[in-house]
Amino acid sequence: MTAAAEAPDLERATLDKAARENFPVAPFFLPRAWRDDLMAVYGFARLVDDIGDGDLAPGGGDARLLGVSPAAAEDRLALLDAFEADLRRVFGGTPRHPLLRRLQPTVRRRGLTPEPFLGLIAANRQDQLVARYETYADLLAYCELSANPVGRLVLAVTGTATPERIRLSDAVCTALQIVEHLQDVAEDLGRDRIYLPAEDMKRFHVQEADLAAKTAGASVRALVAYEAQRARDLLNEGAPLVGSVHGRLKLLLAGFVAGGRAAIRAIAAAEYDVLPGPPRPGKVQLLREAGVILRGEG
């Protein structure tokens, strides 16, 4: 099959992953124009993460679309370089990949800049080169690339970006990234990545081998609880973002904050044992948290 013939299937496979995300990407209650543009942004973010994680569809179709030779189709850094080159065509040319062709009208309509997209690519490059983080400050710097651009893009697409909202959004997005890292400790270790800061592991007397156990011991649980509190504090810091906007955007942002809080509650309900699998909140808990936020009670 040629790259052009398989392009629609590859595009749909990536966008279908939206239904399996922790937080709704473009929920039904948003205006259609916002939904379309947010899905275009999501397609970019999902594909770059799939490249960085080695989770592309089998067969090398995405590599062919990006002009990467079969010999380099498994080379994540080569794929990221090609993806960045195709991103730059979004801002001045004709992209090769259908997800980037989908993104181009959104970029033009919303006046988006390359920086947040380049940040997401840089985060995935970092994942190929950096597998451990010594300090919490190092982890925050990674989140500045891997998470914060997504919130900034949501604000840009909805025309609501201000310096203060960006600051609050960064706090929320960093918190959500930390929560995801806590849920996925075992999965990340399987990729030879550890996002728990080494200085904190030492403080709680946690060895890397402890993270490979089937269930968490007391030291690992204490470490996870400590990092969960950090994420909770960041969510509380960023929560005023919800009250700074109105209408359906307020519902969307409340859903992000509520999703993070509900996930932390799920981790706590598992007694901070994240090693058997990711603790996930139920829909009732998520709706309860969203209601608290929308009523301005938390």
Side-chain angles (χ1 to χ4, degrees):
M1 184 182 295
T2 66
E6 62 191 334
D9 290 340
L10 291 169
E11 180 183 18
R12 176 48 50 195
T14 299
L15 293 176
D16 282 348
K17 292 182 181 179
R20 301 193 293 274
E21 292 296 299
N22 273 351
F23 313 109
V25 174
F28 69 91
F29 57 76
L30 292 180
R32 177 63 183 268
W34 282 7
R35 293 203 313 272
D36 290 347
D37 287 341
L38 289 172
M39 283 303 295
V41 168
Y42 166 82
F44 173 92
R46 182 69 268 165
L47 183 57
V48 72
D49 279 352
D50 285 350
I51 293 172
D53 290 340
D55 286 341
L56 292 174
D62 290 293
R64 286 190 290 275
L65 285 167
L66 293 170
V68 176
S69 70
E74 301 296 327
D75 184 335
R76 297 179 194 180
L77 287 172
L79 286 166
L80 289 168
D81 287 345
F83 194 56
E84 179 175 332
D86 212 29
L87 169 68
R88 294 188 185 279
R89 295 183 192 102
V90 171
F91 293 88
T94 303
R96 293 173 171 172
H97 200 285
L99 287 169
L100 292 181
R101 290 198 295 272
R102 172 188 285 260
L103 180 64
Q104 192 168 47
T106 292
V107 163
R108 292 172 174 170
R109 188 161 46 240
R110 305 297 179 181
L112 304 182
T113 63
E115 285 72 24
F117 300 104
L118 290 170
L120 294 172
I121 294 174
N124 279 275
R125 275 206 189 92
Q126 188 164 314
D127 276 335
Q128 312 314 308
L129 304 170
V130 180
R132 307 289 188 274
Y133 290 85
E134 181 62 32
T135 69
Y136 183 59
D138 293 338
L139 183 64
L140 292 182
Y142 170 74
C143 293
E144 180 70 24
L145 298 172
S146 68
N148 298 0
V150 176
R152 295 182 179 207
L153 284 166
V154 170
L155 293 177
V157 164
T158 57
T160 55
T162 66
E164 177 62 7
R165 284 181 181 140
I166 289 171
R167 183 186 73 80
L168 296 172
S169 172
D170 285 353
V172 171
C173 289
T174 292
L176 295 179
Q177 180 76 87
I178 291 172
V179 170
E180 185 175 339
H181 288 159
L182 295 178
Q183 291 175 313
D184 294 340
V185 168
E187 179 182 333
D188 289 335
L189 187 65
R191 302 180 192 274
D192 191 31
R193 297 177 190 165
I194 296 177
Y195 295 102
L196 298 165
E199 64 178 7
D200 297 340
M201 290 177 64
K202 293 173 186 175
R203 174 180 176 181
F204 286 91
H205 308 289
V206 172
Q207 305 292 322
E208 289 193 12
D210 297 329
L211 303 180
K214 291 184 178 180
T215 60
S219 295
V220 172
R221 292 174 192 244
L223 171 60
V224 172
Y226 178 73
E227 305 299 349
Q229 184 59 52
R230 281 177 153 169
R232 188 181 291 110
D233 290 343
L234 281 168
L235 280 175
N236 290 341
E237 178 185 338
L241 175 66
V242 178
S244 76
V245 299
H246 304 284
R248 287 176 278 188
L249 179 58
K250 186 170 186 173
L251 291 177
L252 178 67
L253 299 183
F256 290 152
V257 176
R261 287 182 173 172
I264 292 171
R265 286 189 184 275
I267 291 170
E271 297 181 337
Y272 302 101
D273 185 2
V274 296
L275 299 187
R280 304 285 188 196
K283 290 185 178 179
V284 171
Q285 183 63 52
L286 181 59
L287 291 172
R288 184 179 297 124
E289 293 288 350
V292 169
I293 293 164
L294 291 169
R295 291 193 299 271
E297 298 171 7

